[in-house]
Amino acid sequence: MLLYYANKPAVRIPVEMRGDTTVVAAAAGRPAPDFTFANNGDYGYAIVLLDSLSVQWLERHIESVGDDFLRAMLWGSLWDLVREARLSPTRYAEMVMRALPKERDEQITGTLVGRLSTVIGRYTDGTSRDALLARAEPLLLRGAANRALSYGQRKAQLDAAIGLARSATSLQQLDRWLDGDSVAGLALRPPTRWSIVTRLVARAAPTAASRLAAEARRDSTSEGQRQAFVADAARPDAAHKQALFTRWFADGALNEEWVTSSLRSFHDADQAALTRGFLVPALDTVGWIQQNRRIFFLGSWLGATISGQSDAEALTEIDRWLAAHATLAVDLRQKILQSRDELER
């Protein structure tokens, strides 16, 4: 176990198990630490949940923990608290937004940006989401423009800003970016351009159709054709979604990689109400998919379908389907349960 004291050497002390109880006798008589972490060095294969006093200190000072590996583990433990419903997602997002401008580790930055996007996109809604977005968007763009950061750190923040764009003002900004060759000092290459186009399509921006057509003409490579297919799958139109869902199974000439790539945009989390009707039909196909698609396709299929939902009604539908298919093969049931777990949380 690690006892951490600000501006002093950390103290590593042993722990012992007495039955089901963990005993830390070596801590007796020592001054209270700023935070305590039970899995120092990551030697234990366990979920380590921080105590409330440690959380309070880290909330204000986590960026001052100089060891990158320890800091990454602490962020992971804080996220575990969110997923165990013991720490507010909004509070975690506040921690991220306060610490992110000072973070210099590329992997930690990518992780934090991804979790911030998850909190805003899936764990909050209404006024809470709007309040976080109002602060997160400019913060991410400042990070993307910060030349003191590595390319990976800047690109991760730019990608997140694109993925979080929801307001008319933000979408108009994305649209203007397509007229240039760079954003925040970063070259605007095809993958980023296609991300912007896909976001415009998903949010039904006024220029979405024209931008998709223009980008398809601009990038006529095989990769460009795949990206155009992905962007088109994001269109928030019920008839279009139904036609594409049918085509995934009926068109034997359709490249499987194109299907895999389009699943996330088809099941955009902002379109949960629109794609709810595909939840049970998607579950009905798992046996066919296991027999007719490549080994990793089923995980992508279930992950995208279920992650596109975010409310209790969808969870109820999944549980009802599982109850009605009591003889479902164990491996298929487990794959569904794995994706279900994220929805339940």
Side-chain angles (χ1 to χ4, degrees):
M1 174 176 285
L2 180 76
L3 306 181
Y4 186 94
Y5 300 90
N7 303 316
K8 297 179 182 178
V11 177
R12 291 168 174 80
I13 59 174
V15 300
E16 58 178 302
M17 295 296 298
R18 297 178 186 173
D20 294 331
T21 303
T22 302
V23 179
V24 194
R30 295 182 182 275
D34 291 298
F35 74 81
T36 303
F37 188 60
N39 194 20
N40 179 52
D42 198 25
Y43 294 110
Y45 189 74
I47 294 177
V48 178
L49 300 178
L50 294 158
D51 64 275
S52 58
L53 291 178
S54 294
V55 171
Q56 289 175 21
W57 189 88
L58 291 168
E59 188 171 20
R60 302 186 302 274
H61 305 291
I62 189 170
E63 73 280 359
S64 69
V65 178
D67 184 286
D68 291 346
F69 183 49
L70 174 60
R71 195 168 65 259
M73 293 190 67
L74 291 168
W75 276 116
S77 291
L78 289 166
W79 185 243
D80 286 335
L81 285 172
V82 174
R83 289 175 54 77
E84 295 292 337
R86 294 175 61 174
L87 178 67
S88 160
T90 301
R91 187 177 172 190
Y92 184 90
E94 294 284 352
M95 294 184 195
V96 170
M97 289 191 290
R98 192 192 63 78
L100 190 59
K102 303 173 186 177
E103 183 57 61
R104 290 299 180 266
D105 183 89
E106 188 170 307
Q107 291 186 333
I108 294 176
T109 295
T111 298
L112 295 182
V113 167
R115 289 172 180 165
L116 178 62
S117 297
T118 296
V119 167
I120 295 174
R122 290 179 53 77
Y123 290 175
T124 57
D125 57 17
T127 55
S128 294
R129 173 184 288 177
D130 293 342
L132 287 176
L133 269 175
R135 295 172 54 202
E137 287 189 29
L139 175 78
L140 292 167
L141 289 177
R142 286 195 299 271
N146 186 352
R147 296 180 183 275
L149 301 180
S150 70
Y151 172 81
Q153 288 180 289
R154 297 174 65 193
K155 183 63 163 56
Q157 295 186 72
L158 176 61
D159 289 344
I162 293 170
L164 288 173
R166 283 175 169 78
S167 68
T169 299
S170 296
L171 295 172
Q172 289 167 5
Q173 178 175 244
L174 295 189
D175 187 72
R176 290 193 299 271
W177 286 351
L178 290 172
D179 292 324
D181 297 320
S182 66
V183 174
L186 295 170
L188 196 59
R189 298 187 176 94
T192 305
R193 296 184 65 88
W194 279 115
S195 293
I196 293 173
V197 170
T198 301
R199 192 61 184 158
L200 293 174
V201 172
R203 297 298 299 174
T207 60
S210 61
R211 287 298 191 180
L212 175 56
E215 201 61 30
R217 291 192 298 270
R218 177 190 178 101
D219 183 4
S220 59
T221 64
S222 58
E223 175 60 15
Q225 293 172 34
R226 183 183 71 85
Q227 293 282 9
F229 184 84
V230 170
D232 190 57
R235 201 192 316 170
D237 177 87
H240 179 68
K241 297 277 192 189
Q242 183 60 62
L244 183 55
F245 189 89
T246 301
R247 186 185 175 192
W248 280 340
F249 296 94
D251 186 352
L254 182 60
N255 188 308
E256 184 175 308
E257 174 56 30
W258 284 30
V259 179
T260 304
S261 301
S262 66
L263 293 174
R264 292 285 175 180
S265 57
F266 181 96
H267 291 287
D268 187 290
D270 288 343
Q271 301 174 17
L274 186 61
T275 58
R276 171 69 61 74
F278 297 100
L279 180 56
V280 169
L283 294 174
D284 287 338
T285 66
V286 294
W288 184 91
I289 287 173
Q290 187 179 52
Q291 295 296 319
N292 294 278
R293 296 294 191 186
R294 288 179 290 187
I295 186 170
F296 295 114
F297 184 89
L298 182 60
S300 299
W301 177 259
L302 291 171
T305 300
I306 296 176
S307 69
Q309 302 298 316
S310 58
D311 62 26
E313 290 182 19
L315 188 65
T316 298
E317 284 197 30
I318 295 170
D319 289 344
R320 188 182 298 123
W321 188 92
L322 287 169
H325 293 78
T327 60
L328 184 69
V330 173
D331 60 334
L332 291 177
R333 181 175 295 273
Q334 289 176 338
K335 286 184 178 297
I336 294 172
L337 289 173
Q338 184 177 14
S339 295
R340 176 198 176 279
D341 178 70
E342 175 63 26
L343 175 59
E344 182 178 30
R345 292 178 188 275

